[in-house]
Amino acid sequence: MRYDRVYNFSAGPAMMPESVLEEIAAEVLNYHGSGMSVMEMSHRSPVFQEILSQAEADLRTLMHIPDNYKVLFVQGGGTVQFAMVPMNLMKNGVACYVETGAWSKKAIAEAKRYGEVKIVASSADKNFSYLPDCSALDIPGNADYVYICENETINGTAYHTLPDTKGKVLVADQSSLFLSRPCDVSKYGLIWAGVQKNVGPAGMAIVIIREDLIREDLPEFVPTYLRYKTHADADSLYNTPNCWSIYCCGKVFQYLLANGGLEAMAQRNEEKAAVLYDFLDRSKFFTAAVLKEDRSLMNVPFVSPSKEQDAEVAASAKAAGFDNLKGHKSVGGLRASIYNAMPKEGVEALVDFLKKYEAEHT
Ligand code: PLP
């Protein structure tokens, strides 16, 4: 790696494409002859307006977002969306959630503040190591929406087929697989993603919402900033937005467009993940944590024979230039997050390291 960089397997904030960082570095002091950095620029200036509208246009192109969906750049990261979704979409006060791990549990806990939450499927019985069958969910007629975490960053599961929501609005937290594969936006009512995994700097979420779900008749208690309508009406400029994050995300959208779009990303990500999973499935020392058919291509949790060995693997890996392999503190073990920006060579080098480690410790 150039610039003394390491292979960074962090779950987020995560690696960004090197060429994007180089472009940003070249523009950091003087953006396109404006004489200032994007960090120093008024969000109402024509220069920034152009950055914002180009970012939105590029995202629309990348994801083929239909015209009847709004794209919103909202501050507060993913956690704010746990609250905004129920506050804005619970009209009847009933919502269905699929419980698949740490992040859907957080969403469930937050939704319970605003209404009745029906858990229509769960994989809690086996420590969230698989995805429950979502082909015949028992969804009440008055449910406002069905919510999934499409990729559980900590537990390492990802949907490869969307649930049958019986015509109800599908809401998905796509944070950790956003832009990693093509997505048919028309199948969802609302998609949201915290950007710090596959896109840009933390502190912002991108929300893609079907226009008819943007309500005016919300309860008085819903704060102005937490209404999707506020952001939709103001084209994401209701207040000072996270200009820097929008700018960096825009750079990544351009990088993705120039590198084959989401189809190419999906192919690369499948090849990359296969390198790691094939090794884990053959290894007698390391074990992948998730059932084969439900595995995430982005977050790969695995374990060695003991907690002590897990810690030792993570420490020796770090010393060898493979950083952030320690599993999330709530589940332990090891985890390699291999988002779009992780090159295949990084995964191959990690596998070589793990193979060597295994040979030396068995
Ligand atoms: N949803 C998922 C799937 C996540 O992985 C995360 C964070 O890692 C969040 C939500 C919360 O995002 P934030 O930390 O931006 O609040």
Side-chain angles (χ1 to χ4, degrees), residues 306-328:
S306 71
K307 276 186 190 159
E308 294 70 32
Q309 299 256 33
D310 289 340
E312 206 202 295
V313 173
S316 345
K318 186 175 166 68
F322 307 99
D323 210 349
N324 288 310
L325 279 172
K326 196 165 170 264
H328 190 269

Side-chain angles (χ1 to χ4, degrees), residues 76-80 82 103 149 151-153 173 175-176 192 194 196-197 203:
T79 299
V80 167
F82 294 147
W103 293 111
C149 176
N151 188 97
E152 284 278 4
T153 322
D173 168 1
S175 301
S176 43
W192 68 263
Q196 69 271 31
K197 289 138 198 321

Side-chain angles (χ1 to χ4, degrees), residues 163-185:
D164 179 359
T165 62
K166 313 264 166 62
K168 297 290 182 195
V169 167
L170 176 64
V171 175
D173 168 1
Q174 282 198 351
S175 301
S176 43
L177 57 58
F178 195 56
L179 304 180
S180 69
R181 64 185 186 187
C183 167
D184 182 352
V185 175

